[in-house]
Amino acid sequence: MLNVLSQPWWFLTWHSIIIIVAAFNAGILCSHFPVMPAHHTQTNDLSTIGASALQGILTMPLLMLEDIPVHLAGKQVTFLLHASEFVFPPLNALCTLSYITLTIIAYTRFNSSSSIFAAPPTNVYANYPALALAAASHILPTVFTLSVMAKMNKKMVMLSKQMNEAVSQSKEKTHERTQLEEEFRKTQKTWQFWSYVRGVIMTGCAIAGMRALLY
């Protein structure tokens, strides 16, 4: 195991911040609870990315309560997804690019014999393979989200829009509206399951970063 304190201060600080951001993004350290303003009535078709792990555990179940009308829950879910896309995807991109940069720096300094890029005596830059692994692990959540979660997010946004249009046209519950509500609830449950899977993947990213820091 390499001595963490033997790493250059800027390298250690940068790496530590990335780990904290990755843990935050996974929902380990905190959760994001967006509450839709009372005046919010519009949906946003760009709500395609999603939320943190704890949102699947804590927030989504609140929006699945039977006491909440489904069309209103649909508005809240749409706002949840829309608010999340401005936080979590950029943070994951930041972590990925940072790990790629750290990997390049570590590899360059470890393999360089010049006085400018020479590795310090402790050879802390020899850990570049672990940094590369951490970088690769942060690409996985993006691929998973775009290939799995984004489809369900778009579907829920679409169903929410259709339900609210049906409510605005008629206060009486029609057969079509009932089908939309049932499909929306079903999609919510599926989303919640895959959100747990994504949470596990993102937690693994934070662990990979911690391992790269300590070993």
Side-chain angles (χ1 to χ4, degrees), residues 34-173:
V35 178
M36 185 179 68
H39 64 273
H40 185 88
T41 58
Q42 296 181 347
T43 59
N44 192 311
D45 291 336
L46 297 179
S47 306
T48 59
I49 300 301
S52 70
L54 284 186
Q55 286 179 333
I57 300 174
L58 301 177
T59 308
M60 187 60 78
L62 296 176
L63 301 177
M64 296 171 65
L65 296 175
E66 296 296 333
D67 295 339
I68 301 178
V70 184
H71 68 283
L72 296 181
K75 287 185 178 181
Q76 290 280 8
V77 168
T78 297
F79 187 79
L80 170 74
L81 300 178
H82 180 58
S84 299
E85 70 179 353
F86 291 104
V87 179
F88 300 102
L91 288 182
N92 189 68
L94 174 64
C95 291
T96 304
L97 293 176
S98 294
Y99 272 119
I100 291 175
T101 303
L102 289 178
T103 301
I104 294 174
I105 292 174
Y107 179 81
T108 301
R109 294 198 173 189
F110 178 72
N111 290 279
S112 176
S113 59
S114 68
S115 58
I116 298 178
F117 296 105
T122 51
N123 245 359
V124 295
Y125 296 122
N127 204 29
Y128 66 86
L131 291 170
L133 179 62
S137 70
H138 279 77
I139 297 175
L140 184 58
T142 301
V143 175
F144 179 83
T145 298
L146 293 177
S147 60
V148 178
M149 302 298 293
K151 296 178 181 179
M152 288 182 289
N153 295 345
K154 289 180 179 180
K155 184 177 181 179
M156 284 195 292
V157 170
M158 178 189 68
L159 290 172
S160 174
K161 183 177 181 180
Q162 293 175 347
M163 284 189 299
N164 283 279
E165 287 178 351
V167 171
S168 64
Q169 294 174 1
S170 175
K171 298 299 181 182
E172 297 182 1
K173 182 176 290 190

Side-chain angles (χ1 to χ4, degrees), residues 189-207:
K189 293 180 180 179
T190 305
W191 184 97
Q192 187 179 28
F193 170 78
W194 288 113
S195 177
Y196 296 154
V197 175
R198 181 176 55 181
V200 171
I201 295 174
M202 296 176 70
T203 301
C205 293
I207 295 175

